[in-house]
Amino acid sequence: MLNNRTKIKELLAGEATNYEATVMGWVRTFRNNQFIALNDGSTNNNLQVLAELGTFDESILKRITTGACIKAVGEIIPSLGKGQRVELKASSIEILGDSDAEKFPLQPKKHSLEFLREIAHLRFRTNTFGSVFRIRHSLAFAVHKFFNEKGFVYMHTPIITASDAEGAGEMFRVTTLPIDGTAPRNDDATINFKEDFFGRSTNLTVSGQLEGELAAMAFSDIYTFGPTFRAENSNTTRHLAEFWMIEPEMAFYDLEDNANLAEEFIQYIIKYAMDNNREDLEFLAQRLAEEEKSLPQDKRSEMGLIEKLEFVLSNKFERLTYTQAIDILKESNHNKKKKFQYEITGWGMDLQSEHERYLVEKHFKKPVILTNYPAAIKSFYMRYDDNCEPGRQTVAAMDILAPGIGEIVGGSQREERLDKLEQKMKDMHIPMEELYWYLDTRRYGACPHAGFGLGFERMVQFVTGMGNIRDVIPFPRYPKSAEF
Ligand code: ATP
Ligand code: MN
């Protein structure tokens, strides 16, 4: 048996001393041929392993290099060094994996996030990414915990789909047909997908919502949590080509119920991270504060990371309609001084991210739930609001906007009335025959229902304070990049 070691986090947390322990991990630094800073990923805090002078062979000592993997056995003793209560006085050290210090790309110094992205296979071994991915784990765990406690059923919706009807974004095609021009053709020269693997044209999913709705019409409350794919060429700090989305779908929910659930959910998972990842959050808060020191005063965050998260936990999200938002934007000094790149043309316009950010960061200074958007700028499945002003038909849509991130949630009450849904699909040129299964839920026991999609990486960004979405997913996929 090899795995009889104690994790460093556990050792550092303990009060006891003068007992024997085995540790394994990766060397961060080796000072004075005596002091090894050892890390095993359980915490950012390293365990000091003392290799007393004269105890170990030079042949072993010279292999204790940054990046090397070692096993050390010895006594846990009170530490004389500062910053730690205990250390391990080694009686034996075994090199599990050498690391050529000359070639190892991670030097014990500060590296830029851009550089670390190029060595994403090794960046887990830094403090920043150690903290980010432990928090990511906690948030994922909290997602399941939240929904499980509420009696939601976790539904695995398909990753390969044939429906291209959702219109959420550009899709990646899935095919086994040859791409060298020899794929079978129809008489009109288009590709004959009947000959393809699935006998039809297929894509990677952009959202599990439509299938989620089917399940909600049986289990009442379901959620998905899986990868989604968008072939959109957006090189922003908030878009990935492959990202994880959480999509709850609830029968017997209206828009207000939906917003209540989303708010409770977001606060719950943030609180879970605050309760379970304090050390990592404090590390990232410090990192962010350092990083912002180089920015001009007006570009710095008003609150520190922890303060911001506490603020979100203790304040209600601001709720307002799209129509109210347009009025605020129109009346703003920012608009009057023509500081928006995209002009506020009035009711009916789609909001650009600069407008959303103005509302969240400048006007309300807290998360905002925007509701009841014009039907024309939203998806076909969103429910028509009743009693709209003439010429101002809205739908029961909601977007949740977060400071520093922009849109973090998109959701709606769904159109459950068959006649209205069919009319809208016709108007928006959504293929109804292909989506017969979706329409069946409206034919057989339809009910009011609602749901939303939360982009998991944007949530991780919000909680960790990381500025670029590419730094909160282990191996980011974005235009011209699918390394590792
Ligand atoms: P945006 O306007 O920011 O592109 P969207 O309107 O395309 O977002 P939805 O289709 O409503 O977003 O998707 C639901 C959620 O998924 C969004 O609120 C966001 O959190 C997340 N999301 C959408 N596209 C991406 C992407 N390319 N990368 C990461 N997360 C995304
Ligand atoms: Mn988008």
Side-chain angles (χ1 to χ4, degrees):
M1 191 179 87
L2 180 66
N3 194 10
N4 57 351
R5 55 125 186 191
T6 309
K7 289 203 178 177
I8 288 172
K9 184 177 182 177
E10 197 183 316
L11 283 178
L12 292 177
E15 297 284 342
T17 51
N18 303 101
Y19 65 97
E20 197 189 72
T22 300
V23 294
M24 300 182 201
W26 294 268
V27 175
R28 286 281 172 91
T29 56
F30 187 29
R31 278 191 305 121
N32 299 349
N33 237 9
Q34 274 190 88
F35 305 108
I36 306 167
L38 193 70
N39 191 282
D40 67 1
S42 58
T43 162
N44 271 349
N45 297 319
N46 302 320
L47 176 71
Q48 177 153 297
V49 175
L50 173 65
E52 257 189 334
L53 290 176
T55 316
F56 296 95
D57 248 24
E58 185 54 31
S59 62
I60 287 281
L61 293 177
K62 70 171 200 258
R63 292 169 67 195
I64 303 173
T65 53
T66 296
C69 187
I70 67 167
K71 169 180 177 178
V73 183
E75 198 179 359
I76 297 294
I77 57 168
S79 179
L80 300 175
K82 62 173 181 337
Q84 71 234 343
R85 252 199 325 262
V86 296
E87 62 186 49
L88 183 137
K89 184 177 159 200
S91 53
S92 89
I93 293 176
E94 187 185 330
I95 310 290
L96 299 177
D98 287 290
S99 169
D100 184 339
E102 300 281 290
K103 295 194 182 134
F104 185 56
L106 278 177
Q107 296 302 316
K109 62 161 199 175
K110 215 170 157 50
H111 293 292
S112 74
L113 295 174
E114 289 75 19
F115 170 73
L116 292 172
R117 217 172 287 144
E118 284 167 22
I119 53 161
H121 57 306
L122 297 170
R123 68 179 176 171
F124 294 129
R125 293 199 213 171
T126 64
N127 283 338
T128 297
F129 289 96
S131 290
V132 166
F133 290 112
R134 277 188 298 271
I135 291 170
R136 184 181 165 110
H137 159 77
S138 275
L139 291 170
F141 184 79
V143 166
H144 290 299
K145 190 162 148 43
F146 175 82
F147 287 118
N148 188 55
E149 282 167 6
K150 286 202 171 289
F152 282 54
V153 173
Y154 178 26
M155 197 52 61
H156 296 98
T157 50
I159 287 174
I160 299 174
T161 60
S163 74
D164 58 354
E166 222 248 321
E170 299 287 317
M171 295 195 285
F172 290 101
R173 182 181 292 289
V174 175
T175 182
T176 55
L177 291 178
I179 55 166
D180 59 3
T182 61
R185 305 263 166 180
N186 298 312
D187 292 342
D188 63 357
T190 55
I191 304 283
N192 181 4
F193 286 106
K194 288 207 178 65
E195 300 285 318
D196 202 350
F197 188 92
F198 295 107
R200 61 196 301 172
S201 151
T202 50
N203 304 284
L204 293 179
T205 186
V206 294
S207 156
Q209 180 203 316
L210 300 191
E211 289 91 350
E213 282 187 54
L214 311 182
M217 293 302 101
F219 298 99
S220 307
D221 298 327
I222 66 97
Y223 71 106
T224 72
F225 186 2
T228 38
F229 307 86
R230 296 192 185 175
E232 50 194 8
N233 198 4
S234 16
N235 271 299
T236 77
T237 54
R238 296 170 301 108
H239 288 88
L240 291 165
E242 175 181 294
F243 65 99
W244 287 66
M245 188 146 62
I246 297 138
E247 294 180 280
E249 191 69 38
M250 299 74 64
F252 323 118
Y253 267 53
D254 65 12
L255 186 64
E256 190 184 352
D257 299 318
N258 202 21
N260 291 344
L261 183 80
E263 184 168 341
E264 185 187 345
F265 171 56
I266 288 170
Q267 290 182 328
Y268 181 98
I269 62 178
I270 291 175
K271 175 143 196 324
Y272 187 85
M274 296 275 274
D275 291 345
N276 292 276
N277 298 77
R278 194 71 197 191
E279 204 178 88
D280 287 320
L281 284 169
E282 272 163 12
F283 175 82
L284 291 172
Q286 185 86 40
R287 197 200 76 84
L288 191 63
E290 284 295 321
E291 189 182 77
E292 291 199 342
K293 273 189 193 155
S294 64
L295 296 176
Q297 195 74 43
D298 65 321
K299 290 269 181 330
R300 294 183 206 166
S301 320
E302 283 175 30
M303 291 182 215
L305 180 64
I306 306 258
E307 219 186 330
K308 175 189 84 175
L309 297 175
E310 271 161 2
F311 179 83
V312 169
L313 291 188
S314 56
N315 284 280
K316 287 254 144 230
F317 295 6
E318 189 71 34
R319 297 189 192 191
L320 71 161
T321 65
Y322 163 91
T323 305
Q324 289 167 325
I326 288 288
D327 288 342
I328 291 173
L329 289 168
K330 212 166 18 185
E331 292 307 314
S332 68
N333 277 332
H334 208 75
N335 183 48
K336 289 179 178 160
K337 289 188 192 149
K338 305 220 176 300
K339 282 203 192 148
F340 287 123
Q341 202 185 334
Y342 293 88
E343 203 187 334
I344 307 297
T345 52
W347 201 93
M349 68 176 284
D350 207 351
L351 296 181
Q352 299 296 327
S353 88
E354 59 169 338
H355 306 139
E356 299 178 341
R357 294 185 80 142
Y358 176 84
L359 288 171
V360 172
E361 285 155 29
K362 296 275 178 325
H363 191 83
F364 291 112
K365 297 179 193 279
K366 57 161 138 161
V368 167
I369 308 184
L370 274 186
T371 60
N372 309 94
Y373 285 74
I377 58 170
K378 287 287 181 185
S379 307
F380 77 90
Y381 48 73
M382 298 187 178
R383 191 181 195 277
Y384 274 139
D385 289 322
D386 302 317
N387 310 319
C388 293
E389 271 179 57
R392 288 195 167 188
Q393 180 64 57
T394 56
V395 287
M398 65 170 194
D399 277 4
I400 302 186
L401 314 174
I405 309 285
E407 182 185 329
I408 194 161
V409 163
S412 67
Q413 186 173 340
R414 319 305 189 189
E415 183 57 83
E416 84 282 13
R417 298 161 296 189
L418 183 63
D419 55 331
K420 292 208 159 55
L421 185 57
E422 282 183 331
Q423 185 57 50
K424 203 147 148 210
M425 289 171 82
K426 209 177 283 166
D427 295 345
M428 291 182 147
H429 308 289
I430 309 287
M432 269 191 281
E433 313 70 49
E434 248 175 67
L435 285 180
Y436 73 91
W437 47 270
Y438 184 68
L439 288 164
D440 267 1
T441 54
R442 276 63 173 175
R443 291 189 183 105
Y444 310 118
C447 72
H449 63 290
F452 62 85
L454 175 130
F456 186 56
E457 284 74 21
R458 291 198 189 166
M459 191 67 214
V460 181
Q461 265 191 291
F462 185 72
V463 175
T464 59
M466 297 297 283
N468 195 318
I469 199 166
R470 296 171 188 178
D471 295 329
V472 298
I473 189 165
F475 302 105
R477 269 81 181 96
Y478 51 92
K480 301 283 177 282
S481 177
E483 183 84 316
F484 313 108

